[in-house]
Amino acid sequence: MADEELVDQKKYLEDSCKPKCVKPLLEYEACVKRVEGDESGHKHCTGQYFDYWYCIDKCVAPKLFSKLK
């Protein structure tokens, strides 16, 4: 047991969900490029950022709860 390599479950779960969340990720990255250089501070990508993490959370939650059973 001491020889077993530990796996970062959080990173594993997030990585396993990324293919399902490509669209929100690409939308966020496109937004970041659009607002790059905006010095007014009025443009932001908060909505796209939260959409991406919502997708990841929605994907990860069932996997976490199934492990608790």
Side-chain angles (χ1 to χ4, degrees):
M1 191 176 225
D3 294 338
E4 290 181 27
E5 185 177 337
L6 297 176
V7 176
D8 181 358
Q9 290 296 317
K10 181 177 182 272
K11 181 169 176 28
Y12 167 76
L13 289 169
E14 287 176 7
D15 288 347
S16 69
C17 288
K18 281 184 180 176
K20 296 176 184 175
C21 299
V22 169
K23 183 179 177 191
L25 178 60
L26 293 176
E27 288 172 355
Y28 171 69
E29 290 173 346
C31 179
V32 168
K33 287 181 182 177
R34 275 194 315 272
V35 301
E36 224 171 56
D38 173 51
E39 297 188 17
S40 70
H42 296 288
K43 296 179 182 177
H44 57 82
C45 299
T46 306
Q48 290 85 352
Y49 178 80
F50 283 119
D51 288 347
Y52 171 69
W53 283 108
Y54 173 75
C55 181
I56 294 290
D57 288 345
K58 193 169 73 172
C59 174
V60 168
K63 294 177 183 184
L64 289 177
F65 289 119
S66 69
K67 289 185 179 198
L68 295 176
K69 292 181 181 180

